[in-house]
Amino acid sequence: AAKGKYIFFLDGDDWIDRNTIEKLYNLIKEYDAEIAMTTGCPFRESKEDDNEKEDKIEILKEREILIKLILNKNRWEAWGKLFKSSLFLNRRFKRGILYEDLQLIPKILYDVKTVVVNDNGMYHYYLRETSIMRKSPVTKYIVELAEENIDYFSNDEEVKNLFIEAHFKHLCYWYLNQIIYNGKDNEEFEKEFKCFHHKYVKQYFWCLAKTRNERLEAISFFIPKQIHRLLRWGLRKWKCRMNVDGFVAN
């Protein structure tokens, strides 16, 4: 178990710039924050970047933390963040599950007062096809954890709605990419996604979606997947044809 005052999570095949921990520690001290974080950069070769990077600092306070990190950017992973270890008192990742970050990190972010973000890409993660984030069968766990998060924040209506919106968009993205675009049929995930979609689509459509396109996207999932795939294929072909003919396809 960790015994220090701070905890940083680094996946086994990723790496960070040499001064990452020092910079994040200094940000916590300077802004009296509970968490300091950097952004990630994908790589395919394990080669350290020694180039000097420009710091891009953003200070997030209370509800702004959830809005900017969870809703806008889906930044609920543990990696790339330096935490005060006191945040993990009486809190542990669940054992034996996938996407354990999604289960715990949003609850921690909900309780903190200040997060400092240095958007300069000091964390480097390896893109690999065998990653759990690229396997369709495990996405069923995302639906279960989405429901768990929404239930957890049920006493705070504003935050609950924030998580409904964030998870609704996130799950629709997964369904589009895994089931529609890539054609990876997965009956277990599809069944759970449909239940989640039917449960929250009315609230999302009328209360949470901010644009006409978001509303149309939301109701498009009522279409059978075979027709959905055909329509998406036709739309891409039409956009390509419009571009070739010199038009801009919106």
Side-chain angles (χ1 to χ4, degrees), residues 72-87:
N72 293 349
K73 297 184 179 180
N74 284 329
R75 291 299 313 273
W76 36 37
E77 68 282 339
W79 60 259
K81 298 177 178 70
L82 182 66
F83 300 84
K84 285 187 175 180
S85 57
S86 58
L87 295 172

Side-chain angles (χ1 to χ4, degrees), residues 1 19 25-26 38 64 76 91-92 100-101 118 133 147 159 173 191 194 210:
N19 60 351
Y25 171 79
N26 289 337
T38 184
E64 189 181 26
W76 36 37
R91 281 193 175 112
R92 293 293 185 270
E100 64 275 10
D101 294 6
N118 191 345
M133 295 301 292
E147 289 282 14
V159 174
Y173 167 83
K191 180 180 178 180
K194 290 294 185 181
K210 297 176 176 62

Side-chain angles (χ1 to χ4, degrees), residues 55-68:
D55 292 330
K56 302 174 183 177
I57 308 299
E58 184 177 14
I59 315 301
L60 304 180
K61 296 284 188 178
E62 298 182 347
R63 292 298 167 88
E64 189 181 26
I65 296 169
L66 295 176
I67 292 171
K68 291 203 172 182

Side-chain angles (χ1 to χ4, degrees), residues 60-245:
L60 304 180
K61 296 284 188 178
E62 298 182 347
R63 292 298 167 88
E64 189 181 26
I65 296 169
L66 295 176
I67 292 171
K68 291 203 172 182
L69 295 185
I70 300 297
L71 180 58
N72 293 349
K73 297 184 179 180
N74 284 329
R75 291 299 313 273
W76 36 37
E77 68 282 339
W79 60 259
K81 298 177 178 70
L82 182 66
F83 300 84
K84 285 187 175 180
S85 57
S86 58
L87 295 172
F88 289 88
L89 291 176
N90 302 317
R91 281 193 175 112
R92 293 293 185 270
F93 292 102
K94 277 188 178 179
R95 294 186 178 183
I97 68 168
L98 299 171
Y99 306 102
E100 64 275 10
D101 294 6
L102 180 58
Q103 176 267 327
L104 180 61
I105 299 304
K107 300 175 179 65
I108 291 178
L109 293 177
Y110 177 74
D111 287 337
V112 302
K113 301 298 182 183
T114 306
V115 173
V116 187
V117 182
N118 191 345
D119 188 12
N120 64 351
M122 294 186 290
Y123 189 103
H124 306 266
Y125 57 90
Y126 182 49
L127 289 177
R128 59 192 190 279
E129 293 301 321
T130 57
S131 165
I132 64 170
M133 295 301 292
R134 291 171 176 259
K135 287 183 177 180
S136 176
V138 297
T139 54
K140 64 179 182 178
Y141 296 104
I142 295 182
V143 183
E144 296 171 4
L145 292 175
E147 289 282 14
E148 179 182 322
N149 280 335
I150 292 169
D151 289 342
Y152 181 85
F153 296 109
S154 60
N155 292 328
D156 189 326
E157 193 69 19
E158 181 184 356
V159 174
K160 177 185 174 182
N161 287 338
L162 183 150
F163 273 90
I164 291 174
E165 181 180 357
H167 284 302
F168 193 93
K169 290 179 177 178
H170 193 209
L171 291 172
C172 287
Y173 167 83
W174 268 90
Y175 185 85
L176 278 176
N177 279 272
Q178 296 288 336
I179 308 301
I180 303 302
Y181 290 143
N182 294 329
K184 297 179 180 179
D185 291 332
N186 180 352
E187 291 184 7
E188 190 173 24
F189 168 61
E190 291 175 49
K191 180 180 178 180
E192 294 190 25
F193 169 79
K194 290 294 185 181
C195 289
F196 183 93
H197 178 265
H198 293 349
K199 183 176 180 179
Y200 295 107
V201 66
K202 185 176 180 179
Q203 180 180 355
Y204 179 84
F205 184 91
W206 291 111
C207 303
L208 303 176
K210 297 176 176 62
T211 67
R212 182 181 65 178
N213 285 343
E214 287 182 350
R215 293 185 179 93
L216 291 174
E217 190 76 50
I219 62 176
S220 72
F221 294 99
F222 286 112
I223 302 172
K225 65 182 179 183
Q226 292 82 1
I227 298 176
H228 205 154
R229 286 169 179 165
L230 183 61
L231 291 173
R232 295 275 175 176
W233 176 83
L235 181 60
R236 288 200 301 270
K237 289 291 186 181
W238 178 78
K239 285 185 175 182
C240 290
R241 179 61 181 272
M242 292 292 282
N243 287 328
V244 168
D245 291 342

